[in-house]
Amino acid sequence: MNNFNPLYPLNEDEATELAGCLLTASTIERYERCLKNSQAGRRINGELKTAKGDGKDLLRHAWFYRARAIETRNRSEWELPLAVLVSVLGDSGVANVDRLLAALATAQQPQLTWIAGLSRRILANRRGVQLAWSGVKEGYVALKGVDLATAARSVVSPSRRRTSSTWERRLLQVA
Amino acid sequence: MPRPYLLAICSASALDARSNNFSLFVLVEQLQIQQAPVDLPLEIHVYYEFDEPELGVPHEMRLELVDVNGNLAWHSPWIALTSPSRRHRLALAGIQIPNLGYFHLFATIRTIGQPADDAQRSPWGWPLEVTQAEPAQQPG
């Protein structure tokens, strides 16, 4: 985290815009809408989707701002980047985002009430991902190989796999 | 009980870290194998939809390969899942093919700590036809 901007990834104008909107929000729906419509939210989301932003780095910053927000007894400027990062990362598939959302959703500190509500809403609506093994040892070892194709071939070959059913493609008519 | 909305066998998949979307590659309904039993590094995707009261409740699921006579040919170990989200997607790796035949792959889920008869099998299964591969021809 070699960044000297105290509210990274927000710039000053974005932080000002967000502060005005978030701190005057009277409902969680409005709070969430502020984030979705904010210049910062759109910019960071765009950067993440075009690979200009690093999801892991943003997640590290989100944990950092969570710690700062917990240390500060009242609502503070730390809420601004934290809220934006939760909003952007919550809809992404960046690994381990669920842990951040779960930690924030259960936060008891009064200064984190809004972030907790936001996290609960995102958690309820996002699609969770769980990668697991079904307990077939040989397959597990094969997939662990560095060269997946070679490792897979060694188990499957000379087997042949295919989708065999008939299929059709139709253009849906929109009224 | 959580409801499955997708169960599929595929060769590989990719999860887009930016959009949280899955892409599945080479859906597999038919296999030709040289010998059985065999363990194959295929991927099985099982996606569940949870009701609000089921969020955060520990569940466990397993895969069940059932032959045309309804006999359980293979099953995976129980895999724990506790979902904070309405939609929970599992990507599992590895399936055992015990013998040649026509199978359906089901996903069965149950609540942890409940009686065994609490388990519910998915109402539909993914078809998997397993046949013998032709022997490789000798050169010359």
Side-chain angles (χ1 to χ4, degrees):
Chain A
M1 302 214 299
N2 299 320
N3 200 299
F4 298 104
N5 174 0
L7 296 182
Y8 174 85
L10 304 180
N11 61 40
E12 199 172 329
D13 289 344
E14 291 169 341
T16 305
E17 179 206 5
L18 273 172
C21 192
L22 294 184
L23 297 179
T24 58
S26 53
T27 64
I28 191 65
E29 290 82 7
R30 188 174 168 83
Y31 188 89
E32 190 174 21
R33 206 159 49 239
C34 278
L35 293 163
K36 297 279 182 205
N37 296 337
S38 69
Q39 194 182 328
R42 288 200 303 266
R43 176 181 62 79
I44 297 164
N45 196 33
E47 288 177 357
L48 190 63
K49 289 196 168 156
T50 53
K52 288 179 191 166
D54 180 351
K56 282 184 190 170
D57 184 51
L58 294 176
L59 187 59
R60 273 197 299 273
H61 276 86
W63 281 108
F64 171 78
Y65 291 129
R66 172 182 172 269
R68 301 289 80 74
I70 290 174
E71 286 170 358
T72 315
R73 296 205 170 231
N74 299 311
R75 291 180 79 181
S76 62
E77 70 274 18
W78 304 119
E79 182 180 330
L80 304 176
L82 179 57
V84 169
L85 291 175
V86 168
S87 172
V88 171
L89 293 174
D91 282 335
S92 76
V94 172
N96 301 323
V97 161
D98 298 65
R99 291 184 199 167
L100 174 71
L101 293 172
L104 288 169
T106 53
Q108 300 294 317
Q109 294 83 357
Q111 67 272 28
L112 286 179
T113 300
W114 287 94
I115 298 279
L118 174 70
S119 301
R120 282 194 292 272
R121 284 176 67 86
I122 293 173
L123 262 181
N125 292 316
R126 84 189 301 268
R127 296 153 295 156
V129 176
Q130 181 176 342
L131 306 176
W133 305 107
S134 61
V136 174
K137 296 285 190 297
E138 196 175 340
Y140 177 80
V141 171
L143 284 176
K144 270 179 71 181
V146 176
D147 185 340
L148 182 61
T150 304
R153 253 201 313 276
S154 68
V155 174
V156 177
S157 180
S159 306
R160 291 204 296 271
R161 303 160 293 180
R162 64 186 171 115
T163 50
S164 58
S165 305
T166 55
W167 62 276
E168 63 178 314
R169 180 174 286 163
R170 289 187 187 187
L171 180 66
L172 295 176
Q173 299 293 324
V174 179
Chain B
M1 196 60 75
R3 299 172 301 279
Y5 64 93
L6 178 82
L7 170 62
I9 304 175
C10 61
S11 174
S13 68
L15 176 66
D16 190 325
R18 299 177 188 97
S19 66
N20 201 19
N21 286 327
F22 256 122
S23 295
L24 309 187
F25 308 116
V26 190
L27 294 170
V28 177
E29 301 164 358
Q30 186 173 335
L31 281 169
Q32 290 185 325
I33 56 175
Q34 287 283 338
Q35 62 185 35
V38 61
D39 293 343
L40 298 177
L42 297 171
E43 285 191 22
I44 300 96
H45 285 246
V46 188
Y47 301 174
Y48 280 104
E49 189 174 22
F50 286 71
D51 283 332
E52 198 84 39
E54 293 166 340
L55 299 182
V57 178
H59 290 82
E60 54 188 358
M61 64 80 60
R62 73 176 186 183
L63 302 171
E64 295 181 347
L65 192 66
V66 177
D67 66 19
V68 285
N69 298 315
N71 298 319
L72 187 61
W74 170 82
H75 66 79
S76 72
W78 290 101
I79 294 159
L81 68 134
T82 303
S83 180
S85 310
R86 293 292 298 270
R87 285 167 291 162
H88 192 82
R89 302 170 295 174
L90 284 119
L92 305 150
I95 184 172
Q96 188 178 91
I97 307 297
N99 49 269
L100 305 180
Y102 198 100
F103 302 93
H104 283 88
L105 185 70
F106 293 88
T108 294
I109 190 165
R110 68 184 183 189
T111 315
I112 291 180
Q114 295 296 310
D117 57 7
D118 175 57
Q120 274 189 17
R121 184 179 277 179
S122 54
W124 32 261
W126 181 270
L128 189 62
E129 185 178 12
V130 184
T131 55
Q132 179 74 50
E134 293 174 12
Q137 289 186 346
Q138 298 294 325

